[in-house]
Structure formats: structure tokens, C-alpha cells
Amino acid sequence: MAEDAPRRQPTLDEVAERAGVSRSVASRALNNAPHVSRAKREAVERAVRQLGYVPNPSARALATRQTGAAALVISGEDPSIFADPFFAQVIVGASAALEEADLHLMLCLAASDRGRKRVAELLRSRGADGVMLMALREDDPLLPLTVKAQMPVVFGGRPVGASPRWYVDVDNVGGAREATEHLITRGRRRVAALCGRLDTEAGRARYRGYRDALLAAGLEPLPPQEGDFTEPSGAAAMAALLANYPDVDAVFAANDNMAAGALRTLREAGRTIPADVCVVGFDDLTVAQFADPPLTTVHQPIQALGREMARMLVSVVNGLDPTPLILPTRLVVRSSA
């Protein structure tokens, strides 16, 4: 009589599925790591007993290195960037997704040499289970460090001139193109662009969308008037634009903050909106709804951006290899255009 085949050992994935938790939560529970709720820890222990799971010693050693936290790193020069409604919504989305995976959110700002050194050490030392990295500029010193990072790195927005393995972005070109096409359908022919920083992919991509729409309509794009995505920079850029091109009859601004600054400058210059100049923004932040007049803008799913970044990071931490994700945009028409 033939011997019975050896019984297959249950896997950690099966334990996680039986317990109704993620693989990373099951791993941390088995290794008595912090930041696992009592209910989930008990569910994992119950699944282990039911399945007869026996941890692999080498895998157990690796699992104990998990920290139970993920870092959101924003490469910016101004600490007040965390007060920007855009980044506030990203944080809300990321935090909600990490909470589902029982991971804590660490916030890091690479705003100085000291801040960048701390982030570099974080990337080298596995001070977190993974990192979400946002707002990178061209030639950002953090970018080459991610290649040697000892943990997964997911990018929020593609860096200029790079194609990272894991990133979540929005359709910047398509959104800017739709905004500019809307201005053209309103009969506007001298359409200008208030760009964000052109050393960022978002700034460049949104100018490309603007330019593509004008060229397709047989109209001449104006040179980019650059700002830094803040309201004061939008006001200053609009003033410079009026000085150089007083016949401008429409403006696409790279975000709502800059659009709000442009509206202020136009009112101070005695221009009526939208009769004299139409204005369209990008983001669909709260400021767009309460602008004077309410701002036509491109809606991007900001909370979803943070949420999908975090979900992608959790997938990578759990040993998966997700594909990059581009989130859609849509035009929201209000009174300014």
C-alpha cells in the first residue's frame, strides 16, 4: 500500500485570509509586533490553531524587522506646505488606507539639509516599512537615494525624467487639455497659462496639456508664466502676464491656489470675470467653490491619490508588484469660465 503524501503546510497568506486581515498584519501579530489591535491579534491566533500553521524561522526573522509604520515624505522648502489643502487631503486618504492595514503614518518634510539627511537615514535604516514620496523636483537629491533604499518606495506623482517602479499620478496632461479646450469653446483666442514650477512633472505636464489644446485648435500658445503653486505666486504671475500680454482673454492656472491669486490681480486691474477674462484652475479645492466668482476647475481625486499610494505601498510590503496607476480628472464648470 502506497504511503500517504505528506500534508502541505498552510501558508501565512492562508492564515491572513482565515483571520480576515492583511498579510502584514498577520505577520506582525505572529511576531508580537506593536500596532496590532487585540481583536485582530486574537483572530490571527485562532486561524493559526485552526490551520495548524507553523512559522518558518527565516521568514519569522525577516518579519520581526517590520516597524508597523509607513512614512509620507514631502520634498518641499516651506514647512507650511502641510497646511496646503492639497497635501491635507493626501494625508487624509493615505491615513485611512494605512489604518485598514494597521500601519501608522509618519510625516516627514525634507525642507532643509537636516531634514533631507533624516529622510536619507530613514531610507537606509529601514526606519519604516515603506515610504511614500511626493513633490520631488528635477535633480532632487532624494531621488537617487530611493534606488538604494532598503524598503519599498512609492511615488506620488512621477519625478521629472524618471520612471520609478511604483507610482500613483493623475492625468495632468489630459486635465489641462480639457481645461484649455473649454476656454477655446467659450470663444477665447488669447489664452495664457500660469504654470506651476517647471522643475516638477506636474508643472510641465499641465503646460503640455495647455499647449497641445491650443496647437490642435490652430492657436498660438503663450510662453509659460511660472509660479510655485501658491496664491501669492499666482497673483504675481498674473500681474506679469497682464504687463506683457494686455490683450489676454483667458487664463489656465496650474492649480486653484494660483487661480485664486490670478482672480485677485484681475479684479485689482479692473478686469471683469468672465466677461473680460475667463479663468480655469486645477485641483477642485475648497477655495475654488468660494472664490469670487466661483472657479471653474479641473477636479483631481486628491484623497484617492493618497489612498491609492498607501494601498500600493501596503501591496509592495506584502510582497506584491503592483503596476503604476494614473487617476482620471474631470472638468467642473462654475462661473469663472
Side-chain angles (χ1 to χ4, degrees):
M1 182 175 177
E3 294 183 2
D4 291 338
R7 182 175 178 270
R8 183 181 67 82
Q9 290 296 317
T11 66
L12 180 59
D13 288 321
E14 290 169 334
V15 170
E17 183 178 2
R18 175 69 66 91
V21 300
S22 69
R23 190 179 192 278
S24 61
V25 170
S27 176
R28 294 203 303 277
L30 288 171
N31 290 283
N32 295 315
H35 313 308
V36 180
S37 68
R38 179 178 178 179
K40 291 183 178 180
R41 195 181 299 275
E42 290 176 350
V44 170
E45 292 171 352
R46 186 163 53 250
V48 167
R49 291 193 301 271
Q50 292 171 350
L51 294 172
Y53 173 75
V54 178
N56 178 284
S58 59
R60 190 181 185 94
L62 286 173
T64 57
R65 297 180 64 190
Q66 293 184 334
T67 66
L72 174 62
V73 176
I74 298 178
S75 181
E77 298 175 352
D78 184 357
S80 67
I81 196 169
F82 280 125
D84 187 313
F86 175 88
F87 289 105
Q89 290 194 41
V90 169
I91 291 169
V92 169
S95 179
L98 292 176
E99 185 176 344
E100 293 174 0
D102 273 3
L103 289 173
H104 285 263
L105 177 62
M106 300 166 51
L107 298 177
C108 305
L109 180 62
S112 63
D113 288 341
R114 183 178 181 182
R116 282 185 287 272
K117 287 178 180 177
R118 292 180 65 184
V119 173
E121 179 59 28
L122 175 73
L123 292 168
R124 283 193 296 264
S125 66
R126 290 190 62 94
D129 291 344
V131 168
M132 296 167 286
L133 192 53
M134 295 193 72
L136 287 186
R137 300 188 302 277
E138 188 175 21
D139 300 325
D140 195 300
L142 291 180
L143 185 57
L145 296 177
T146 64
V147 178
K148 302 177 181 179
Q150 298 300 307
M151 67 185 73
V153 178
V154 171
F155 289 83
R158 287 165 290 184
V160 174
S163 297
R165 187 171 181 177
W166 302 299
Y167 65 84
V168 181
D169 207 347
V170 299
D171 185 8
N172 289 302
V173 173
R177 184 190 305 116
E178 185 179 12
T180 308
E181 289 171 347
H182 175 73
L183 293 170
I184 295 170
T185 63
R186 294 294 308 270
R188 305 305 163 121
R189 294 296 178 264
R190 290 292 279 172
V191 183
L194 303 185
C195 300
R197 296 185 63 129
L198 292 175
D199 59 355
T200 66
E201 180 59 25
R204 292 185 181 186
R206 292 175 192 178
Y207 182 73
R208 284 200 303 272
Y210 152 86
R211 182 195 60 201
D212 292 349
L214 286 176
L215 291 175
L219 299 175
E220 179 185 0
L222 297 181
Q225 194 69 50
E226 187 175 357
D228 63 3
F229 294 112
T230 64
E231 192 271 352
S233 76
M238 189 70 240
L241 184 65
L242 289 176
N244 293 324
Y245 304 98
D247 60 339
V248 65
D249 60 7
V251 173
F252 164 63
N255 76 340
D256 290 345
N257 292 330
M258 292 183 65
L263 291 175
R264 175 162 59 87
T265 294
L266 287 167
R267 287 194 301 270
E268 291 172 353
R271 304 294 179 96
T272 302
I273 306 158
D276 297 330
V277 182
C278 286
V279 179
V280 177
F282 200 113
D283 283 342
D284 198 18
L285 299 173
T286 302
V287 66
Q289 301 175 40
F290 296 102
D292 181 21
L295 184 65
T296 294
T297 186
V298 177
H299 174 87
Q300 64 164 319
I302 304 173
Q303 284 194 28
L305 175 65
R307 183 171 62 250
E308 295 303 329
M309 284 169 54
R311 286 178 175 172
M312 184 174 289
L313 183 63
V314 170
S315 294
V316 179
V317 169
N318 288 337
L320 303 178
D321 187 14
T323 57
L325 179 62
I326 304 296
L327 300 174
T329 60
R330 59 181 171 84
L331 187 69
V332 178
V333 178
R334 298 191 180 99
S335 303
S336 69

